[in-house]
Amino acid sequence: MRSSPSQAARECAELFGAVFLRFHRRGPKRAMWTPQGWAVLQHLEMAGPLTVTEAAAHMDRAQSVMSGIVDGLERKGLLARMRDARDRR
């Protein structure tokens, strides 16, 4: 015998929590990069090597924000910093 739509909805509601937990477990983030990091990588591919300040200006971001994105990409091994010959520090 078929259940009524309201009965089916109640049964679904009762099972939803268990189904959700089964298929949506929390775990470590799997993404290798964020959308911002991906944008920086794409920009560097087209523009070539840039200083953090130059990259921030190109992408209209604060230097501190760009530095954080670059730090994250460097930690993940997705880019490497090089010494800028123009910078005497």
Side-chain angles (χ1 to χ4, degrees):
M1 178 176 171
R2 287 186 163 175
S3 60
S4 69
S6 60
Q7 178 62 29
R10 279 192 295 278
E11 291 172 5
C12 181
E14 288 174 13
L15 295 173
F16 180 79
V19 171
F20 181 86
L21 290 175
R22 173 73 174 101
F23 293 104
H24 295 90
R25 293 183 184 179
R26 292 183 182 211
K29 290 185 178 180
R30 292 186 180 100
M32 192 67 164
W33 49 74
T34 63
Q36 298 84 5
W38 180 245
V40 169
L41 291 174
Q42 287 179 316
H43 188 79
L44 290 172
E45 181 181 28
M46 290 185 296
L50 298 171
T51 65
V52 171
T53 303
E54 290 168 338
H58 283 211
M59 300 189 75
D60 195 27
R61 297 287 180 258
Q63 184 175 349
S64 61
V65 171
M66 185 59 65
S67 185
I69 294 169
V70 169
D71 288 345
L73 292 169
E74 185 179 31
R75 274 192 307 275
K76 293 174 183 175
L78 297 171
L79 63 76
R81 292 182 191 244
M82 301 179 326
R83 185 169 247 343
D84 184 0
R86 298 170 292 171
D87 187 353
R88 294 185 179 183
R89 288 181 278 169

